[in-house]
Amino acid sequence: HLISINVALRDHEPGFVGAFAQYVPSDEWLLYSEVGNSSLPAPSGNTWLAGASYTLENGHVLTAEWLHNSGGLRPKQLEQLFDTAQRIEALARHNPLPGNVWLGALPQSLLDQAPRLFGRNYLWLGWQSNPQDTRLIWRAELTSNITDGSGMAMLYVEKNLWTRLSAFVVLSQTGGGQRTEFGSTIDSRLTIGAKVFAF
């Protein structure tokens, strides 16, 4: 088991207090949690994360995490944000001013509390290949914003071609309405690339 406490203080500036703990009840299980309180965003907010991972006999790892952020937007605040964004979009079609001009139309209550998460509760699920096998690495993830019901699924695959060269593919798909965190972004994305290792 492991427990740590972290404190950060600066003169005339808000501070941060956080803690981390993990516990290994058996060879297969890892349980962990993080908690933090910061007054950097206004008002101050508490954040906590609880997670668990289970390693299968073939080396695959299943992970689940729950994140709560008390500084995240509430459903009514989220509606207000998207209402304003729609008004800005409609105005920008007729008068294409620079984006920073339209930022002035955002409610001051939201700007004062930035940076903010869109939601207050998130669920993350992951399934990855054996991390000891570097010839073929893959990872499947599902992230969900519980506040607005939106989410994103992602698949990452990396294949080692030669000693210092690997190719990878990333495919992601979002879900949710246009007035949700993930639904308001790009529907799907495909990334293909290569990694060159110098050493």
Side-chain angles (χ1 to χ4, degrees):
H1 60 272
L2 170 68
I3 298 175
S4 68
I5 298 176
N6 309 281
V7 179
L9 300 173
R10 297 180 65 179
D11 290 340
H12 311 295
E13 291 189 16
F16 170 82
V17 178
F20 171 81
Q22 73 176 37
Y23 174 61
V24 182
S26 66
D27 290 341
E28 299 88 3
W29 284 99
L30 169 64
L31 308 177
Y32 54 94
S33 181
E34 298 178 20
V35 63
N37 178 278
S38 175
S39 51
L40 287 174
S44 62
N46 298 311
T47 302
W48 62 262
L49 179 143
S53 68
Y54 182 81
T55 303
L56 303 173
E57 290 186 6
N58 59 6
H60 292 185
V61 181
L62 303 174
T63 307
E65 292 183 356
W66 182 277
L67 172 68
H68 173 76
N69 186 302
S70 64
L73 297 179
R74 296 181 182 275
K76 287 186 178 180
Q77 292 175 309
L78 199 56
E79 289 180 17
Q80 184 183 20
L81 180 66
F82 283 113
D83 286 342
T84 304
Q86 285 182 333
R87 288 196 300 272
I88 293 174
E89 181 185 12
L91 290 170
R93 286 196 200 114
H94 302 292
N95 189 3
L97 292 173
N100 59 349
V101 175
W102 296 118
L103 282 176
L106 287 173
Q108 191 62 39
S109 61
L110 294 180
L111 293 176
D112 288 342
Q113 300 178 49
R116 303 284 298 269
L117 290 174
F118 271 32
R120 298 170 69 86
N121 292 288
Y122 291 84
L123 175 65
W124 181 83
L125 302 175
W127 179 17
Q128 72 175 51
S129 62
N130 188 339
Q132 304 298 322
D133 185 1
T134 58
R135 296 168 298 175
L136 178 64
I137 300 170
W138 57 265
R139 184 173 67 251
E141 300 179 0
L142 178 62
T143 306
S144 177
N145 178 336
I146 305 301
T147 304
D148 64 17
S150 65
M152 181 180 71
M154 188 201 76
L155 177 64
Y156 175 89
V157 180
E158 180 180 331
K159 172 68 175 173
N160 181 251
L161 303 176
W162 287 284
T163 305
R164 294 194 172 101
L165 178 64
S166 293
F168 66 89
V169 176
V170 185
L171 177 63
S172 64
Q173 176 69 49
T174 59
Q178 292 184 349
R179 296 171 61 87
T180 62
E181 178 175 9
F182 291 103
S184 62
T185 60
I186 298 172
D187 289 338
S188 58
R189 177 177 293 170
L190 173 64
T191 304
I192 301 174
K195 292 181 179 180
V196 178
F197 301 92
F199 303 100

